[in-house]
């Protein structure tokens, strides 16, 4: 660390003192230079560095940014981002500060490198089918890392599919998707996924209202028939699965619920969801109605939903539910009667509600209001206790804004989402300003900024049109500060032109130099979809396996498979027209290398990678049969197919695993039915 600081100071001084720099482009505010001049030779620094910097026209800020993000070979990142893969339906894993893409995890979409959906994973992908229709893409929005006591624990990560209201579970022991659930009562979602502080529940809030179960109803009956919802999926850590039998939903008014967040510490046991279109506009521009964009922003306020999850859980356990498509739903009336649901106004067309690390403050930004509005949980609780409220058209209690508001802070144009650090600062994305605003919390955080709680204290431009942003451990009870990533919707001129469809731009920002502003460090193009949200966890909290724990491991059950094949036990067993193949893979051969069967056979093929070496993965593909597997060290897989195509098919290993990798192959010979060979002549 000390050496880095020294190098940084030296380089800064060399550049400032010795070079005439030609600015190539508009620059961010530069990092301040400082310290005493140091002799380059005693610092052990190459004298060429200044020349390189000059030749590449690097400013002092560029050099500090490079030094802060560069990792020498073999050095690991301090943080890992789990980002939504947007339309790709996948999860991106990115190192910080290097911003290197470490992995794309196959989730809702088949992924060939991981062999996800080409013989393995198909049953999990099928869990996400809708009425028998295969859905093999997703609009992933919000990943959520599992938490213990409000802190990321590095064990699981969840993500939603907005387009189809589905939730996926990824196990961080092997970074593989284990489950997909389709929400039975909603066809799309948005306020997902968020977890309660001990990951008891994974929250899935809806968005565009529809009759529950998405049965047909005329838009003329919108107020009566259309509904919002939030679903609480019970997570079972022992099985590593969402447990539908212990999950339930809450019927909500047909306001378009947007994003949710779980309360923590003082607000633990509560869930908050913002909404837009409290106007209940139903669109129809083609019939002369106001378009949604106008109709849904006519009013000055929308509604934040305040949900007493403990009460909801009690109502569910007491059986105070009705069933929609076989799924238990707490009706709106029950939610009112049981004290489960409350509303309070929020400035128009907000996007998101974010809860401060102490659980006390709820931050909401109206996209069309230059302020963030901060609510106090204490005030919400005391207003509810005092039963001081009006009601909306459905009879839901509405708490007056003045009763529950703590502060409003003017931050800039188009505020969307907020994140927190460990210095009492909040960072709010400004979509219209293309900037990140930094402002101060009050309350218990006021000690950190006694002179100016609830004040805007800085802004940094980003490029361009930022949506979400994330800070290190930013959704936990103890954020780390240090880094912020702006998730920008538009890149425009930041990267080489790759045609009219441009990548998203993740910008890494140093927020650790408190009091000295924020520094833009790095631009990372995301050329795979639009990742809406991401979370950043300390790398040392992750404990992934290097190889599967034992030979013959089934990643789906996370136990040794009954179908594991030990070396020496390879065989081909025929039973009628069913052929079962027991195969091992090890550098550089499959055993067996000849598989001769007959057209029409049903094939069950078990393969175990018997390697114990780190990184000794083998692939396995069969042409024309759409089979492509990745078999990691220790892993056992089983595939099944009907041998409906006669001919000669060379299967081979698709990972360059060794010097004799090309020889890691074999023949699948499928005799045509009725041929001499097939009838055994
Ligand atoms: S939203 S800014 Cu889905 Cu969280 Cu996109
Ligand atoms: Cu195994 Cu290539």
């Amino acid at each position: 660390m000390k050496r880095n600081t020294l190098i940084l100071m030296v380089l800064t001084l060399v550049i400032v003192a010795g070079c005439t720099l030609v600015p190539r482009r508009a620059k961010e505010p530069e990092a301040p230079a400082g310290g005493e001049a140091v002799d380059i030779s005693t610092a052990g620094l190459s004298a060429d560095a200044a020349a390189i910097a000059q030749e590449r026209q690097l400013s002092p800020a560029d050099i500090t940014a490079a030094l802060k993000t560069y990792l020498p070979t073999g050095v690991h990142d301090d943080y890992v981002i789990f980002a939504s893969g947007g339309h790709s339906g996948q999860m991106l894993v990115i190192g910080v500060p290097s911003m290197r893409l470490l992995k794309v995890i196959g989730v809702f979409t088949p992924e060939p490198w991981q062999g996800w959906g080409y013989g393995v994973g198909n049953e999990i992908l099928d869990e996400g089918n809708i009425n028998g229709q295969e859905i093999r893409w997703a609009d992933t929005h919000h990943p959520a890392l599992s938490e213990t006591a409000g802190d990321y624990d590095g064990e699981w990560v969840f993500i939603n599919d907005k387009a189809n209201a589905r939730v996926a579970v990824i196990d961080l022991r092997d970074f593989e998707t284990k489950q997909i659930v389709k929400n039975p009562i909603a066809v799309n979602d948005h306020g997902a996924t968020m977890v309660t502080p001990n990951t008891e529940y994974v929250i899935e809030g809806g968005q565009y209202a529809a009759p529950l179960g998405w049965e047909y109803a005329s838009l003329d009956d919108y107020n009566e028939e259309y509904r919002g919802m939030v679903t609480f999926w019970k997570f079972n850590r022992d099985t590593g699965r969402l447990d539908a039998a212990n999950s339930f939903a809450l019927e909500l008014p047909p306001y378009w619920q947007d994003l949710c967040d779980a309360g923590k510490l003082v607000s633990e046991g509560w869930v908050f969801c913002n909404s837009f279109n409290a106007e209940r506009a139903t669109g129809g521009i083609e019939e002369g109605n106001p378009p949604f964009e106008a109709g849904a922003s006519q009013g000055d306020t929308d509604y934040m939903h305040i949900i007493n999850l403990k009460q909801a859980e009690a109502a569910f356990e007491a059986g105070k539910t009705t069933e929609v498509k076989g799924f238990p739903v707490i009706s709106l009336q029950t939610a009112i009667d049981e004290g489960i649901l409350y509303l309070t106004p929020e400035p128009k067309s907000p996007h998101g509600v974010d809860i401060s690390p102490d659980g006390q403050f709820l931050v909401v930004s109206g996209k069309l209001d230059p302020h963030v509005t901060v609510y106090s949980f204490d005030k919400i609780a005391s207003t509810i206790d005092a039963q001081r409220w009006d009601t909306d058209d459905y009879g839901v209690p509405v708490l007056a804004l003045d009763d529950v508001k703590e502060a409003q802070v003017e931050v800039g144009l188009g505020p969307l989402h907020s994140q927190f650090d460990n210095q009492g600062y909040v960072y709010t994305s400004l979509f219209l300003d293309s900037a990140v605003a930094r402002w101060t919390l009050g309350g218990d955080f006021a000690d950190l900024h006694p002179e100016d709680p609830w004040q805007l204290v800085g802004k940094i431009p980003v490029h361009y049109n930022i949506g979400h942003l994330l800070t290190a451990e930013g959704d936990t009870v103890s954020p780390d500060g240090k880094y912020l990533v702006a998730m920008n919707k538009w890149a425009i001129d930041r990267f080489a032109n790759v045609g009219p469809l441009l990548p998203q731009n993740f910008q890494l920002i140093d927020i650790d130099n408190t009091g000295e502003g924020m520094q833009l460090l790095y631009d990372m193009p995301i050329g795979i979809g639009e990742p809406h949200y991401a979370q950043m966890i300390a790398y040392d909290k992750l404990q992934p396996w290097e190889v599967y724990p034992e030979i013959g491991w089934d990643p789906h059950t996370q136990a040794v498979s009954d179908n594991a094949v030990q070396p020496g036990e390879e065989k081909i067993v025929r039973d009628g027209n069913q052929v079962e193949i027991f195969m091992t893979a090890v550098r550089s051969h499959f055993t067996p290398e000849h598989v001769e069967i007959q057209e029409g056979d049903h094939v069950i093929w078990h393969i175990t990678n018997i390697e114990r070496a780190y990184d000794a993965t083998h692939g396995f593909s069969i042409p024309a049969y759409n089979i492509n597997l990745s078999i990691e060290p220790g892993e056992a897989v089983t595939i099944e197919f009907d041998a409906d195509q006669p001919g000669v098919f060379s299967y081979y290993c698709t990972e360059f695993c060794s010097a004799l990798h090309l020889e890691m192959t074999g023949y699948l010979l499928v005799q045509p039915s009725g041929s001499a060979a097939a009838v055994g002549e």
Side-chain angles (χ1 to χ4, degrees):
M1 267 301 137
K2 279 204 176 115
R3 187 167 156 265
N4 279 351
T5 314
L6 187 64
I7 292 172
L8 191 148
M9 278 167 34
V10 170
L11 270 173
T12 305
L13 286 166
V14 166
I15 300 308
V16 168
C19 313
T20 315
L21 294 176
V22 187
R24 241 185 335 182
R25 54 184 189 265
K27 302 305 297 183
E28 304 313 315
E30 290 177 354
E36 296 294 307
V38 179
D39 184 345
I40 288 174
S41 56
T42 60
L45 186 72
S46 162
D48 295 341
I52 294 169
Q54 186 172 28
E55 198 212 320
R56 300 193 63 211
Q57 301 181 16
L58 301 179
S59 71
D62 292 332
I63 293 162
T64 57
L67 291 175
K68 286 176 180 180
T69 54
Y70 175 72
L71 287 184
T73 184
V75 177
H76 297 168
D77 284 291
D78 296 333
Y79 287 91
V80 173
I81 290 175
F82 290 89
S84 139
H87 316 66
S88 75
Q90 316 295 44
M91 176 88 77
L92 312 181
V93 186
I94 298 162
V96 174
S98 72
M99 300 306 276
R100 296 181 294 197
L101 178 63
L102 301 172
K103 196 170 209 177
V104 177
I105 304 173
V107 185
F108 293 105
T109 307
E111 202 291 314
W113 166 56
Q114 287 152 80
W116 180 244
Y118 299 95
V120 164
N122 302 50
E123 329 77 56
I124 296 173
L125 288 162
D126 282 343
E127 293 171 353
N129 293 352
I130 301 180
N131 296 331
Q133 171 71 50
E134 279 191 6
I135 311 284
R136 291 294 187 265
W137 78 288
D139 182 16
T140 54
H141 276 231
H142 307 101
L145 287 155
S146 59
E147 295 180 10
T148 298
D151 216 351
Y152 303 148
D153 56 35
E155 294 185 359
W156 307 90
V157 62
F158 310 92
I159 192 160
N160 73 311
D161 167 20
K162 167 173 170 166
N164 302 291
R166 300 182 297 174
V167 172
V169 179
I170 296 163
D171 189 333
L172 292 179
R173 284 173 292 185
D174 60 0
F175 283 52
E176 287 195 2
T177 303
K178 303 302 176 191
Q179 185 184 23
I180 293 173
V181 292
K182 166 74 196 102
N183 193 302
I185 67 165
V187 77
N188 58 57
D189 71 23
H190 188 250
T193 53
M194 291 81 199
V195 298
T196 51
N198 287 297
T199 322
E200 300 93 338
Y201 290 100
V202 176
I203 300 165
E204 184 186 20
Q207 185 134 81
Y208 306 119
L212 294 184
W214 69 97
E215 308 291 349
Y216 173 81
S218 166
L219 278 166
D220 294 339
D221 302 323
Y222 185 88
N223 290 335
E224 299 76 33
E225 300 290 337
Y226 285 56
R227 287 295 179 265
M229 72 92 203
V230 57
T231 297
F232 299 100
W233 291 102
K234 184 82 179 169
F235 183 59
N236 182 330
R237 277 185 194 258
D238 295 333
T239 61
R241 299 292 188 276
L242 298 170
D243 174 9
N246 285 298
S247 304
F248 62 94
L250 189 58
E251 179 187 11
L252 298 175
Y255 313 136
W256 291 353
Q257 288 79 32
D258 178 40
L259 274 168
C260 303
D261 201 358
K264 52 188 120 175
L265 300 175
V266 290
S267 53
E268 184 164 352
W270 294 75
V271 169
F272 308 91
C273 303
N274 79 291
S275 70
F276 62 107
N277 197 15
E279 294 84 349
R280 289 173 277 160
T282 54
I285 187 173
E286 66 283 3
E287 287 144 30
N289 297 326
F292 278 117
E293 60 178 316
S297 45
Q298 269 164 356
D300 283 333
T301 55
D302 288 285
Y303 285 126
M304 180 159 71
H305 297 52
I306 302 164
I307 296 163
N308 187 332
L309 176 55
K310 292 232 167 84
Q311 284 289 103
E313 193 177 40
F316 165 62
E317 281 164 5
K320 296 178 182 170
T321 51
T322 53
E323 293 219 333
V324 176
K325 290 196 166 168
F327 195 74
V329 178
I330 298 173
S331 71
L332 187 51
Q333 192 57 50
T334 302
I336 296 165
D337 296 343
E338 299 288 320
I340 293 169
L341 179 65
Y342 305 87
L343 302 170
T344 191
E346 49 189 9
K348 71 197 279 171
S349 303
H351 202 18
V353 48
D354 297 290
I355 299 174
S356 60
D358 62 349
Q360 181 58 254
F361 299 118
L362 291 59
V363 180
V364 172
S365 309
K367 297 188 288 277
L368 304 176
D369 178 328
H371 298 86
V372 290
T373 299
V374 183
Y375 300 80
S376 151
F377 178 73
D378 282 348
K379 290 181 181 179
I380 289 172
S382 60
T383 305
I384 290 174
D385 279 351
Q387 305 198 350
R388 193 162 63 243
W389 57 61
D390 287 333
T391 52
D392 76 346
D393 288 352
Y394 296 92
V396 183
V398 180
L399 317 183
L401 180 57
D402 283 339
D403 284 346
V404 295
K405 184 179 75 184
E406 179 74 24
Q408 284 189 310
V409 183
E410 186 167 346
V411 289
L413 297 181
L416 296 183
H417 304 289
S418 295
Q419 282 274 286
F420 305 89
D421 71 4
N422 54 346
Q423 310 280 337
Y425 289 121
V426 189
Y427 301 83
T428 299
S429 53
L430 302 174
F431 180 83
L432 296 175
D433 273 353
S434 280
V436 172
R438 174 193 250 174
W439 52 278
T440 55
L441 281 169
D444 285 347
F445 299 91
D447 300 351
L448 292 163
H449 309 282
E451 65 297 342
D452 54 1
W454 312 123
Q455 287 289 321
L456 176 69
V457 293
K459 259 189 207 185
I460 182 170
V462 293
H463 313 91
Y464 302 87
N465 297 2
I466 178 174
H468 277 273
L469 72 183
L470 62 142
T471 54
E473 308 246 325
D475 286 315
T476 71
V477 293
S478 59
D480 285 6
K482 293 199 170 96
Y483 298 112
L484 180 149
V485 174
M487 304 176 76
N488 303 308
K489 307 290 186 190
W490 285 24
I492 309 182
D493 56 358
R494 293 296 103 170
F495 305 110
N497 188 357
V498 290
L501 178 62
L502 271 65
Q504 307 282 299
N505 184 12
F506 279 15
Q507 286 188 307
L508 179 68
I509 294 167
D510 180 355
I511 56 169
D512 214 19
N513 45 357
T514 308
E516 296 173 354
M518 300 167 268
Q519 190 193 358
L520 178 61
L521 299 180
Y522 196 82
D523 285 34
M524 178 194 190
I526 304 285
I528 190 169
E530 182 191 333
H532 286 256
Y533 191 46
Q535 289 186 328
M536 193 191 313
I537 182 174
Y539 173 58
D540 62 12
K541 285 185 173 176
L542 299 170
Q543 305 290 332
W545 290 325
E546 293 180 355
V547 298
Y548 279 109
E550 290 177 60
I551 287 181
W553 198 261
D554 177 353
H556 192 54
T557 58
Q558 299 290 36
V560 173
S561 167
D562 290 343
N563 295 316
V565 186
Q566 300 297 335
E569 295 177 356
E570 301 90 346
K571 60 190 171 192
I572 300 175
V573 180
R574 172 175 287 279
D575 178 8
N577 74 337
Q578 177 168 301
V579 179
E580 200 162 357
I581 300 144
F582 297 83
M583 174 180 268
T584 57
V586 70
R587 280 163 290 171
S588 302
H589 54 270
F590 294 109
T591 306
E593 291 185 336
H594 296 164
V595 175
E596 184 133 8
I597 60 173
Q598 292 157 23
E599 183 181 358
D601 281 345
H602 182 70
V603 181
I604 303 173
W605 198 317
H606 312 289
I607 311 173
T608 300
N609 177 344
I610 58 174
E611 303 267 3
R612 301 311 290 147
Y614 201 4
D615 210 357
T617 293
H618 298 291
F620 179 82
S621 74
I622 306 178
Y625 277 92
N626 200 32
I627 284 164
N628 174 42
L629 314 176
S630 171
I631 315 167
E632 282 92 60
E635 182 174 356
V637 301
T638 295
I639 53 171
E640 276 192 63
F641 59 92
D642 291 317
D644 49 13
Q645 300 181 63
V648 174
F649 307 89
S650 42
Y651 51 83
Y652 74 99
C653 170
T654 53
E655 285 277 331
F656 204 111
C657 53
S658 61
L660 295 174
H661 146 82
L662 292 180
E663 290 78 357
M664 192 165 175
T665 185
Y667 282 110
L668 168 66
L669 302 135
V670 184
Q671 302 164 1
S673 51
S675 72
V679 297
E681 284 170 20

